[in-house]
Amino acid sequence: MNIFSSLLSSPTQAPQVKKQRRGIEIKSEREIEIMRQAGKIVATVLKEISLMVKPGMTTADLDAYAEKRIREMGATPSFKGYHGFTGSICSSINNEVVHGIPSAKKVIRAGDVLKVDTGAYYQGFHGDSCITIAVVEVTPESAKLIRVAEEALYKGIEQVKAGAYLLDLAGAIEDHVKSNGFSVVEEFTGHGVGRNLHEEPSVFNFRTREMPNVKLRAGMTLAIEPILNAGSKYTRTLSDKWTAVTVDNAMSAQFEHTVLVTETGYEILTDRSKV
């Protein structure tokens, strides 16, 4: 789940979290194993949703399914109630960039670019992941946008290992996106994830001197989540105070994984290919 970086320091937390911990946490082996289970729950839900989506369904249908499955697997939805958010998923369609609120009035149609982001809180830790789904047949430009967004995620992940820096993965993401003619949304970033849904550090998708260029250490867990727009990088937030849309009505795509930093590389904790 993306959220404004200022919320990383906000005292308001998800209902399950009693205390915000400061700084970057290094997870123990026991904690990492719990996060593997949280990530597996999220991966399972997203994989199932990707297979079940069809025109005529509503985003409320997907939200109800996600909540049911998360609870069946012994977890609770990370997003529901978070800063007042009402859904168990964020469901953002076409020009909606992030934080789309599920609704029985929002019908999914053929050709839609559908972003589904969800999280699971399991035994004290969160997993967080997002996919973009091409509903039936999308335009060639939309298909390219989705492909490049997923490629950009993996370009960033491939830079992850102990001793690397956040700027390494940010630069890899930015270069891939821009070389394919798309823009990187800069108003939202990835983040640390663990006991809290959003933790330090901010994990940016573009080169910047405005955020710390953190050196990665084994045991860090990061939610890496590039967001691409087909047009302008700028967004605006709708009157619901959550849904961000492109300023020029262009399409947007996003992918996200929860990733563990290891001494020699990384482990994707929300890997859908393993469920």
Side-chain angles (χ1 to χ4, degrees), residues 163-212:
Y165 288 85
L166 286 181
L167 195 60
D168 298 333
L169 67 93
I173 289 170
E174 182 180 35
D175 289 347
H176 188 67
V177 172
K178 291 187 173 180
S179 69
N180 280 278
F182 299 121
S183 61
V184 176
V185 173
E186 298 180 3
E187 295 166 76
F188 305 95
T189 71
H191 50 90
V193 60
R195 295 179 189 274
N196 296 279
L197 182 57
H198 293 90
E199 299 181 346
E200 297 292 349
S202 295
V203 182
F204 38 96
N205 302 305
F206 56 96
R207 293 179 179 86
T208 178
R209 295 173 182 259
E210 295 181 7
M211 289 185 275

mmCIF file of all heavy atoms in Angstrom, residues 163-212:
data_model
loop_
_atom_site.group_PDB
_atom_site.id
_atom_site.type_symbol
_atom_site.label_atom_id
_atom_site.label_comp_id
_atom_site.label_asym_id
_atom_site.label_seq_id
_atom_site.Cartn_x
_atom_site.Cartn_y
_atom_site.Cartn_z
ATOM 1 N N GLY A 163 24.515 -3.978 1.919
ATOM 2 C CA GLY A 163 25.602 -3.134 1.437
ATOM 3 C C GLY A 163 25.213 -2.239 0.280
ATOM 4 O O GLY A 163 25.907 -1.267 -0.014
ATOM 5 N N ALA A 164 24.092 -2.567 -0.393
ATOM 6 C CA ALA A 164 23.587 -1.696 -1.459
ATOM 7 C C ALA A 164 22.869 -0.504 -0.826
ATOM 8 O O ALA A 164 22.650 -0.460 0.388
ATOM 9 C CB ALA A 164 22.654 -2.473 -2.372
ATOM 10 N N TYR A 165 22.503 0.455 -1.681
ATOM 11 C CA TYR A 165 21.833 1.661 -1.194
ATOM 12 C C TYR A 165 20.480 1.822 -1.878
ATOM 13 O O TYR A 165 20.259 1.319 -2.983
ATOM 14 C CB TYR A 165 22.693 2.899 -1.473
ATOM 15 C CG TYR A 165 23.920 2.998 -0.585
ATOM 16 C CD1 TYR A 165 25.092 2.340 -0.929
ATOM 17 C CD2 TYR A 165 23.879 3.733 0.593
ATOM 18 C CE1 TYR A 165 26.214 2.414 -0.117
ATOM 19 C CE2 TYR A 165 25.005 3.814 1.416
ATOM 20 C CZ TYR A 165 26.160 3.156 1.055
ATOM 21 O OH TYR A 165 27.268 3.220 1.865
ATOM 22 N N LEU A 166 19.594 2.536 -1.198
ATOM 23 C CA LEU A 166 18.268 2.776 -1.772
ATOM 24 C C LEU A 166 18.357 3.447 -3.136
ATOM 25 O O LEU A 166 17.543 3.184 -4.021
ATOM 26 C CB LEU A 166 17.421 3.632 -0.829
ATOM 27 C CG LEU A 166 16.873 2.955 0.416
ATOM 28 C CD1 LEU A 166 16.033 3.945 1.229
ATOM 29 C CD2 LEU A 166 16.019 1.744 0.046
ATOM 30 N N LEU A 167 19.354 4.310 -3.304
ATOM 31 C CA LEU A 167 19.502 4.998 -4.585
ATOM 32 C C LEU A 167 19.819 4.024 -5.710
ATOM 33 O O LEU A 167 19.476 4.283 -6.872
ATOM 34 C CB LEU A 167 20.604 6.061 -4.488
ATOM 35 C CG LEU A 167 20.638 7.105 -5.609
ATOM 36 C CD1 LEU A 167 19.341 7.884 -5.660
ATOM 37 C CD2 LEU A 167 21.813 8.048 -5.416
ATOM 38 N N ASP A 168 20.429 2.885 -5.394
ATOM 39 C CA ASP A 168 20.713 1.883 -6.421
ATOM 40 C C ASP A 168 19.423 1.352 -7.025
ATOM 41 O O ASP A 168 19.272 1.270 -8.248
ATOM 42 C CB ASP A 168 21.516 0.719 -5.830
ATOM 43 C CG ASP A 168 22.875 1.139 -5.295
ATOM 44 O OD1 ASP A 168 23.425 2.139 -5.790
ATOM 45 O OD2 ASP A 168 23.377 0.467 -4.374
ATOM 46 N N LEU A 169 18.479 0.979 -6.169
ATOM 47 C CA LEU A 169 17.225 0.444 -6.707
ATOM 48 C C LEU A 169 16.360 1.552 -7.287
ATOM 49 O O LEU A 169 15.675 1.346 -8.298
ATOM 50 C CB LEU A 169 16.484 -0.381 -5.658
ATOM 51 C CG LEU A 169 15.903 0.288 -4.418
ATOM 52 C CD1 LEU A 169 14.466 0.698 -4.614
ATOM 53 C CD2 LEU A 169 15.984 -0.671 -3.225
ATOM 54 N N ALA A 170 16.397 2.734 -6.686
ATOM 55 C CA ALA A 170 15.622 3.853 -7.214
ATOM 56 C C ALA A 170 16.062 4.212 -8.630
ATOM 57 O O ALA A 170 15.242 4.433 -9.527
ATOM 58 C CB ALA A 170 15.753 5.070 -6.298
ATOM 59 N N GLY A 171 17.380 4.248 -8.835
ATOM 60 C CA GLY A 171 17.903 4.581 -10.152
ATOM 61 C C GLY A 171 17.570 3.535 -11.189
ATOM 62 O O GLY A 171 17.257 3.865 -12.344
ATOM 63 N N ALA A 172 17.628 2.253 -10.792
ATOM 64 C CA ALA A 172 17.306 1.170 -11.734
ATOM 65 C C ALA A 172 15.843 1.258 -12.173
ATOM 66 O O ALA A 172 15.523 1.051 -13.348
ATOM 67 C CB ALA A 172 17.591 -0.181 -11.093
ATOM 68 N N ILE A 173 14.974 1.574 -11.228
ATOM 69 C CA ILE A 173 13.550 1.720 -11.556
ATOM 70 C C ILE A 173 13.337 2.916 -12.478
ATOM 71 O O ILE A 173 12.693 2.805 -13.525
ATOM 72 C CB ILE A 173 12.723 1.883 -10.261
ATOM 73 C CG1 ILE A 173 12.683 0.555 -9.490
ATOM 74 C CG2 ILE A 173 11.303 2.360 -10.581
ATOM 75 C CD1 ILE A 173 12.106 0.673 -8.085
ATOM 76 N N GLU A 174 13.872 4.052 -12.094
ATOM 77 C CA GLU A 174 13.676 5.273 -12.874
ATOM 78 C C GLU A 174 14.201 5.120 -14.301
ATOM 79 O O GLU A 174 13.514 5.511 -15.270
ATOM 80 C CB GLU A 174 14.366 6.447 -12.189
ATOM 81 C CG GLU A 174 14.176 7.772 -12.923
ATOM 82 C CD GLU A 174 14.861 8.927 -12.221
ATOM 83 O OE1 GLU A 174 15.945 8.720 -11.623
ATOM 84 O OE2 GLU A 174 14.314 10.042 -12.271
ATOM 85 N N ASP A 175 15.385 4.550 -14.449
ATOM 86 C CA ASP A 175 15.967 4.408 -15.783
ATOM 87 C C ASP A 175 15.096 3.529 -16.678
ATOM 88 O O ASP A 175 14.896 3.832 -17.860
ATOM 89 C CB ASP A 175 17.367 3.811 -15.685
ATOM 90 C CG ASP A 175 18.384 4.783 -15.104
ATOM 91 O OD1 ASP A 175 18.066 5.991 -15.015
ATOM 92 O OD2 ASP A 175 19.490 4.328 -14.740
ATOM 93 N N HIS A 176 14.579 2.434 -16.137
ATOM 94 C CA HIS A 176 13.773 1.529 -16.945
ATOM 95 C C HIS A 176 12.462 2.192 -17.348
ATOM 96 O O HIS A 176 12.026 2.065 -18.500
ATOM 97 C CB HIS A 176 13.494 0.236 -16.182
ATOM 98 C CG HIS A 176 12.837 -0.810 -17.031
ATOM 99 N ND1 HIS A 176 13.475 -1.427 -18.085
ATOM 100 C CD2 HIS A 176 11.571 -1.339 -17.000
ATOM 101 C CE1 HIS A 176 12.648 -2.285 -18.664
ATOM 102 N NE2 HIS A 176 11.498 -2.254 -18.027
ATOM 103 N N VAL A 177 11.852 2.891 -16.415
ATOM 104 C CA VAL A 177 10.577 3.551 -16.713
ATOM 105 C C VAL A 177 10.747 4.617 -17.785
ATOM 106 O O VAL A 177 10.015 4.652 -18.785
ATOM 107 C CB VAL A 177 9.985 4.180 -15.433
ATOM 108 C CG1 VAL A 177 8.758 5.027 -15.763
ATOM 109 C CG2 VAL A 177 9.618 3.095 -14.427
ATOM 110 N N LYS A 178 11.728 5.485 -17.603
ATOM 111 C CA LYS A 178 11.903 6.602 -18.524
ATOM 112 C C LYS A 178 12.386 6.141 -19.896
ATOM 113 O O LYS A 178 12.016 6.743 -20.915
ATOM 114 C CB LYS A 178 12.856 7.630 -17.921
ATOM 115 C CG LYS A 178 12.242 8.360 -16.725
ATOM 116 C CD LYS A 178 13.110 9.501 -16.233
ATOM 117 C CE LYS A 178 12.389 10.298 -15.159
ATOM 118 N NZ LYS A 178 13.214 11.423 -14.641
ATOM 119 N N SER A 179 13.178 5.074 -19.936
ATOM 120 C CA SER A 179 13.644 4.579 -21.230
ATOM 121 C C SER A 179 12.512 3.993 -22.059
ATOM 122 O O SER A 179 12.641 3.843 -23.273
ATOM 123 C CB SER A 179 14.735 3.520 -21.026
ATOM 124 O OG SER A 179 14.198 2.332 -20.457
ATOM 125 N N ASN A 180 11.405 3.679 -21.399
ATOM 126 C CA ASN A 180 10.231 3.161 -22.106
ATOM 127 C C ASN A 180 9.152 4.217 -22.332
ATOM 128 O O ASN A 180 8.044 3.893 -22.774
ATOM 129 C CB ASN A 180 9.650 1.976 -21.338
ATOM 130 C CG ASN A 180 10.413 0.689 -21.582
ATOM 131 O OD1 ASN A 180 10.203 0.015 -22.583
ATOM 132 N ND2 ASN A 180 11.330 0.369 -20.671
ATOM 133 N N GLY A 181 9.472 5.472 -22.028
ATOM 134 C CA GLY A 181 8.584 6.572 -22.363
ATOM 135 C C GLY A 181 7.494 6.862 -21.352
ATOM 136 O O GLY A 181 6.544 7.598 -21.663
ATOM 137 N N PHE A 182 7.632 6.334 -20.142
ATOM 138 C CA PHE A 182 6.623 6.578 -19.108
ATOM 139 C C PHE A 182 7.216 7.440 -18.000
ATOM 140 O O PHE A 182 8.414 7.706 -17.969
ATOM 141 C CB PHE A 182 6.110 5.251 -18.544
ATOM 142 C CG PHE A 182 5.441 4.380 -19.572
ATOM 143 C CD1 PHE A 182 5.927 3.101 -19.840
ATOM 144 C CD2 PHE A 182 4.349 4.828 -20.295
ATOM 145 C CE1 PHE A 182 5.322 2.289 -20.785
ATOM 146 C CE2 PHE A 182 3.742 4.034 -21.252
ATOM 147 C CZ PHE A 182 4.224 2.757 -21.497
ATOM 148 N N SER A 183 6.364 7.880 -17.069
ATOM 149 C CA SER A 183 6.816 8.723 -15.969
ATOM 150 C C SER A 183 6.652 7.995 -14.641
ATOM 151 O O SER A 183 5.752 7.163 -14.478
ATOM 152 C CB SER A 183 6.034 10.043 -15.938
ATOM 153 O OG SER A 183 4.642 9.803 -15.747
ATOM 154 N N VAL A 184 7.523 8.316 -13.699
ATOM 155 C CA VAL A 184 7.475 7.753 -12.350
ATOM 156 C C VAL A 184 6.697 8.713 -11.450
ATOM 157 O O VAL A 184 7.028 9.897 -11.356
ATOM 158 C CB VAL A 184 8.884 7.553 -11.769
ATOM 159 C CG1 VAL A 184 8.809 7.056 -10.325
ATOM 160 C CG2 VAL A 184 9.693 6.591 -12.621
ATOM 161 N N VAL A 185 5.676 8.219 -10.796
ATOM 162 C CA VAL A 185 4.949 9.035 -9.823
ATOM 163 C C VAL A 185 5.854 9.248 -8.620
ATOM 164 O O VAL A 185 6.356 8.288 -8.030
ATOM 165 C CB VAL A 185 3.638 8.347 -9.392
ATOM 166 C CG1 VAL A 185 2.971 9.122 -8.258
ATOM 167 C CG2 VAL A 185 2.688 8.227 -10.576
ATOM 168 N N GLU A 186 6.068 10.518 -8.254
ATOM 169 C CA GLU A 186 7.000 10.832 -7.168
ATOM 170 C C GLU A 186 6.291 11.192 -5.871
ATOM 171 O O GLU A 186 6.935 11.325 -4.826
ATOM 172 C CB GLU A 186 7.915 11.982 -7.598
ATOM 173 C CG GLU A 186 8.778 11.634 -8.806
ATOM 174 C CD GLU A 186 9.692 12.773 -9.229
ATOM 175 O OE1 GLU A 186 9.693 13.818 -8.538
ATOM 176 O OE2 GLU A 186 10.386 12.622 -10.254
ATOM 177 N N GLU A 187 4.976 11.340 -5.917
ATOM 178 C CA GLU A 187 4.235 11.766 -4.728
ATOM 179 C C GLU A 187 4.018 10.647 -3.720
ATOM 180 O O GLU A 187 3.626 10.900 -2.577
ATOM 181 C CB GLU A 187 2.893 12.362 -5.140
ATOM 182 C CG GLU A 187 3.021 13.640 -5.939
ATOM 183 C CD GLU A 187 1.718 14.017 -6.621
ATOM 184 O OE1 GLU A 187 0.814 14.505 -5.901
ATOM 185 O OE2 GLU A 187 1.588 13.826 -7.840
ATOM 186 N N PHE A 188 4.239 9.400 -4.147
ATOM 187 C CA PHE A 188 4.066 8.252 -3.267
ATOM 188 C C PHE A 188 5.321 7.386 -3.347
ATOM 189 O O PHE A 188 5.944 7.281 -4.400
ATOM 190 C CB PHE A 188 2.842 7.433 -3.684
ATOM 191 C CG PHE A 188 1.578 8.244 -3.742
ATOM 192 C CD1 PHE A 188 1.149 8.795 -4.938
ATOM 193 C CD2 PHE A 188 0.825 8.451 -2.601
ATOM 194 C CE1 PHE A 188 -0.015 9.546 -4.994
ATOM 195 C CE2 PHE A 188 -0.339 9.196 -2.638
ATOM 196 C CZ PHE A 188 -0.762 9.750 -3.843
ATOM 197 N N THR A 189 5.657 6.760 -2.238
ATOM 198 C CA THR A 189 6.859 5.938 -2.204
ATOM 199 C C THR A 189 6.552 4.581 -1.598
ATOM 200 O O THR A 189 5.501 4.375 -0.986
ATOM 201 C CB THR A 189 7.960 6.597 -1.348
ATOM 202 O OG1 THR A 189 7.583 6.530 0.041
ATOM 203 C CG2 THR A 189 8.191 8.037 -1.746
ATOM 204 N N GLY A 190 7.517 3.668 -1.757
ATOM 205 C CA GLY A 190 7.468 2.443 -0.994
ATOM 206 C C GLY A 190 7.910 2.742 0.430
ATOM 207 O O GLY A 190 8.102 3.901 0.820
ATOM 208 N N HIS A 191 8.134 1.689 1.223
ATOM 209 C CA HIS A 191 8.346 1.907 2.652
ATOM 210 C C HIS A 191 8.855 0.632 3.311
ATOM 211 O O HIS A 191 8.734 -0.473 2.765
ATOM 212 C CB HIS A 191 7.015 2.309 3.311
ATOM 213 C CG HIS A 191 5.880 1.376 2.951
ATOM 214 N ND1 HIS A 191 5.565 0.251 3.692
ATOM 215 C CD2 HIS A 191 5.012 1.379 1.905
ATOM 216 C CE1 HIS A 191 4.547 -0.389 3.118
ATOM 217 N NE2 HIS A 191 4.193 0.275 2.027
ATOM 218 N N GLY A 192 9.397 0.782 4.487
ATOM 219 C CA GLY A 192 9.651 -0.382 5.304
ATOM 220 C C GLY A 192 8.330 -0.979 5.750
ATOM 221 O O GLY A 192 7.295 -0.293 5.797
ATOM 222 N N VAL A 193 8.345 -2.263 6.070
ATOM 223 C CA VAL A 193 7.114 -2.933 6.505
ATOM 224 C C VAL A 193 7.498 -4.014 7.504
ATOM 225 O O VAL A 193 8.561 -4.635 7.392
ATOM 226 C CB VAL A 193 6.348 -3.522 5.293
ATOM 227 C CG1 VAL A 193 7.188 -4.535 4.534
ATOM 228 C CG2 VAL A 193 5.023 -4.135 5.715
ATOM 229 N N GLY A 194 6.648 -4.225 8.497
ATOM 230 C CA GLY A 194 6.925 -5.246 9.513
ATOM 231 C C GLY A 194 5.876 -5.210 10.593
ATOM 232 O O GLY A 194 4.711 -5.531 10.354
ATOM 233 N N ARG A 195 6.251 -4.798 11.790
ATOM 234 C CA ARG A 195 5.270 -4.684 12.869
ATOM 235 C C ARG A 195 4.202 -3.661 12.532
ATOM 236 O O ARG A 195 3.056 -3.760 12.981
ATOM 237 C CB ARG A 195 5.963 -4.286 14.181
ATOM 238 C CG ARG A 195 6.925 -5.327 14.706
ATOM 239 C CD ARG A 195 7.588 -4.843 15.988
ATOM 240 N NE ARG A 195 8.659 -5.741 16.376
ATOM 241 C CZ ARG A 195 8.486 -6.840 17.110
ATOM 242 N NH1 ARG A 195 7.263 -7.176 17.511
ATOM 243 N NH2 ARG A 195 9.506 -7.603 17.413
ATOM 244 N N ASN A 196 4.599 -2.648 11.785
ATOM 245 C CA ASN A 196 3.680 -1.629 11.297
ATOM 246 C C ASN A 196 3.595 -1.716 9.775
ATOM 247 O O ASN A 196 4.555 -2.110 9.109
ATOM 248 C CB ASN A 196 4.156 -0.231 11.708
ATOM 249 C CG ASN A 196 4.150 -0.053 13.213
ATOM 250 O OD1 ASN A 196 3.119 0.218 13.811
ATOM 251 N ND2 ASN A 196 5.308 -0.219 13.833
ATOM 252 N N LEU A 197 2.449 -1.344 9.244
ATOM 253 C CA LEU A 197 2.260 -1.393 7.803
ATOM 254 C C LEU A 197 3.223 -0.465 7.086
ATOM 255 O O LEU A 197 3.730 -0.784 6.015
ATOM 256 C CB LEU A 197 0.809 -1.043 7.455
ATOM 257 C CG LEU A 197 0.413 -1.085 5.985
ATOM 258 C CD1 LEU A 197 0.683 -2.465 5.386
ATOM 259 C CD2 LEU A 197 -1.064 -0.708 5.819
ATOM 260 N N HIS A 198 3.467 0.701 7.671
ATOM 261 C CA HIS A 198 4.419 1.657 7.100
ATOM 262 C C HIS A 198 5.479 1.972 8.134
ATOM 263 O O HIS A 198 5.179 2.484 9.215
ATOM 264 C CB HIS A 198 3.714 2.946 6.669
ATOM 265 C CG HIS A 198 2.774 2.741 5.530
ATOM 266 N ND1 HIS A 198 1.452 2.420 5.718
ATOM 267 C CD2 HIS A 198 2.967 2.775 4.193
ATOM 268 C CE1 HIS A 198 0.870 2.276 4.537
ATOM 269 N NE2 HIS A 198 1.762 2.479 3.596
ATOM 270 N N GLU A 199 6.713 1.657 7.806
ATOM 271 C CA GLU A 199 7.861 1.920 8.661
ATOM 272 C C GLU A 199 8.938 2.634 7.848
ATOM 273 O O GLU A 199 8.852 2.731 6.621
ATOM 274 C CB GLU A 199 8.434 0.600 9.204
ATOM 275 C CG GLU A 199 7.455 -0.206 10.056
ATOM 276 C CD GLU A 199 8.050 -1.503 10.592
ATOM 277 O OE1 GLU A 199 9.122 -1.932 10.104
ATOM 278 O OE2 GLU A 199 7.436 -2.080 11.499
ATOM 279 N N GLU A 200 9.943 3.113 8.542
ATOM 280 C CA GLU A 200 11.125 3.620 7.849
ATOM 281 C C GLU A 200 11.875 2.436 7.220
ATOM 282 O O GLU A 200 11.817 1.328 7.741
ATOM 283 C CB GLU A 200 12.030 4.361 8.824
ATOM 284 C CG GLU A 200 11.409 5.601 9.443
ATOM 285 C CD GLU A 200 11.173 6.726 8.448
ATOM 286 O OE1 GLU A 200 11.676 6.627 7.299
ATOM 287 O OE2 GLU A 200 10.493 7.696 8.808
ATOM 288 N N PRO A 201 12.563 2.639 6.095
ATOM 289 C CA PRO A 201 12.760 3.911 5.394
ATOM 290 C C PRO A 201 11.721 4.114 4.288
ATOM 291 O O PRO A 201 11.030 3.171 3.890
ATOM 292 C CB PRO A 201 14.142 3.717 4.774
ATOM 293 C CG PRO A 201 14.139 2.256 4.393
ATOM 294 C CD PRO A 201 13.386 1.558 5.512
ATOM 295 N N SER A 202 11.618 5.333 3.794
ATOM 296 C CA SER A 202 10.889 5.559 2.548
ATOM 297 C C SER A 202 11.700 4.934 1.416
ATOM 298 O O SER A 202 12.918 5.116 1.351
ATOM 299 C CB SER A 202 10.716 7.059 2.293
ATOM 300 O OG SER A 202 9.890 7.643 3.278
ATOM 301 N N VAL A 203 11.024 4.181 0.564
ATOM 302 C CA VAL A 203 11.697 3.486 -0.541
ATOM 303 C C VAL A 203 11.255 4.160 -1.842
ATOM 304 O O VAL A 203 10.205 3.853 -2.390
ATOM 305 C CB VAL A 203 11.361 1.985 -0.540
ATOM 306 C CG1 VAL A 203 12.101 1.270 -1.676
ATOM 307 C CG2 VAL A 203 11.723 1.354 0.801
ATOM 308 N N PHE A 204 12.065 5.088 -2.313
ATOM 309 C CA PHE A 204 11.671 5.899 -3.454
ATOM 310 C C PHE A 204 12.001 5.201 -4.766
ATOM 311 O O PHE A 204 12.822 4.280 -4.812
ATOM 312 C CB PHE A 204 12.307 7.282 -3.391
ATOM 313 C CG PHE A 204 13.718 7.283 -2.878
ATOM 314 C CD1 PHE A 204 14.775 7.274 -3.763
ATOM 315 C CD2 PHE A 204 13.982 7.284 -1.521
ATOM 316 C CE1 PHE A 204 16.082 7.278 -3.311
ATOM 317 C CE2 PHE A 204 15.292 7.289 -1.057
ATOM 318 C CZ PHE A 204 16.346 7.280 -1.947
ATOM 319 N N ASN A 205 11.361 5.649 -5.827
ATOM 320 C CA ASN A 205 11.472 5.026 -7.146
ATOM 321 C C ASN A 205 12.156 5.936 -8.160
ATOM 322 O O ASN A 205 12.049 5.710 -9.365
ATOM 323 C CB ASN A 205 10.074 4.665 -7.655
ATOM 324 C CG ASN A 205 9.362 3.730 -6.707
ATOM 325 O OD1 ASN A 205 9.865 2.677 -6.355
ATOM 326 N ND2 ASN A 205 8.164 4.129 -6.270
ATOM 327 N N PHE A 206 12.853 6.937 -7.657
ATOM 328 C CA PHE A 206 13.502 7.926 -8.523
ATOM 329 C C PHE A 206 14.684 8.506 -7.757
ATOM 330 O O PHE A 206 14.720 8.471 -6.525
ATOM 331 C CB PHE A 206 12.519 9.037 -8.896
ATOM 332 C CG PHE A 206 11.908 9.713 -7.697
ATOM 333 C CD1 PHE A 206 12.433 10.879 -7.191
ATOM 334 C CD2 PHE A 206 10.807 9.142 -7.057
ATOM 335 C CE1 PHE A 206 11.887 11.488 -6.069
ATOM 336 C CE2 PHE A 206 10.254 9.738 -5.927
ATOM 337 C CZ PHE A 206 10.798 10.913 -5.435
ATOM 338 N N ARG A 207 15.643 9.027 -8.471
ATOM 339 C CA ARG A 207 16.824 9.608 -7.829
ATOM 340 C C ARG A 207 16.439 10.917 -7.143
ATOM 341 O O ARG A 207 15.788 11.768 -7.739
ATOM 342 C CB ARG A 207 17.918 9.862 -8.864
ATOM 343 C CG ARG A 207 18.500 8.583 -9.459
ATOM 344 C CD ARG A 207 19.566 8.908 -10.488
ATOM 345 N NE ARG A 207 20.160 7.693 -11.056
ATOM 346 C CZ ARG A 207 19.648 7.037 -12.096
ATOM 347 N NH1 ARG A 207 18.540 7.480 -12.687
ATOM 348 N NH2 ARG A 207 20.246 5.948 -12.544
ATOM 349 N N THR A 208 16.876 11.049 -5.910
ATOM 350 C CA THR A 208 16.559 12.258 -5.159
ATOM 351 C C THR A 208 17.593 12.478 -4.073
ATOM 352 O O THR A 208 18.178 11.514 -3.557
ATOM 353 C CB THR A 208 15.157 12.165 -4.522
ATOM 354 O OG1 THR A 208 14.905 13.348 -3.755
ATOM 355 C CG2 THR A 208 15.042 10.952 -3.614
ATOM 356 N N ARG A 209 17.806 13.727 -3.712
ATOM 357 C CA ARG A 209 18.652 14.070 -2.569
ATOM 358 C C ARG A 209 17.801 14.481 -1.380
ATOM 359 O O ARG A 209 18.336 14.866 -0.327
ATOM 360 C CB ARG A 209 19.614 15.211 -2.943
ATOM 361 C CG ARG A 209 20.637 14.825 -4.010
ATOM 362 C CD ARG A 209 21.443 16.036 -4.447
ATOM 363 N NE ARG A 209 22.394 15.693 -5.503
ATOM 364 C CZ ARG A 209 23.684 15.497 -5.302
ATOM 365 N NH1 ARG A 209 24.177 15.593 -4.081
ATOM 366 N NH2 ARG A 209 24.485 15.203 -6.307
ATOM 367 N N GLU A 210 16.490 14.422 -1.546
ATOM 368 C CA GLU A 210 15.590 14.911 -0.502
ATOM 369 C C GLU A 210 15.259 13.855 0.549
ATOM 370 O O GLU A 210 14.673 14.169 1.575
ATOM 371 C CB GLU A 210 14.293 15.431 -1.136
ATOM 372 C CG GLU A 210 14.522 16.645 -2.020
ATOM 373 C CD GLU A 210 13.235 17.171 -2.630
ATOM 374 O OE1 GLU A 210 12.155 16.672 -2.246
ATOM 375 O OE2 GLU A 210 13.304 18.085 -3.465
ATOM 376 N N MET A 211 15.597 12.587 0.288
ATOM 377 C CA MET A 211 15.376 11.529 1.265
ATOM 378 C C MET A 211 16.690 10.799 1.494
ATOM 379 O O MET A 211 17.531 10.719 0.595
ATOM 380 C CB MET A 211 14.290 10.563 0.770
ATOM 381 C CG MET A 211 12.902 11.181 0.789
ATOM 382 S SD MET A 211 11.585 10.012 0.348
ATOM 383 C CE MET A 211 11.634 10.130 -1.444
ATOM 384 N N PRO A 212 16.884 10.257 2.695
ATOM 385 C CA PRO A 212 18.166 9.600 3.007
ATOM 386 C C PRO A 212 18.453 8.427 2.084
ATOM 387 O O PRO A 212 17.568 7.618 1.799
ATOM 388 C CB PRO A 212 17.953 9.122 4.449
ATOM 389 C CG PRO A 212 16.860 9.978 5.002
ATOM 390 C CD PRO A 212 15.961 10.267 3.834
#
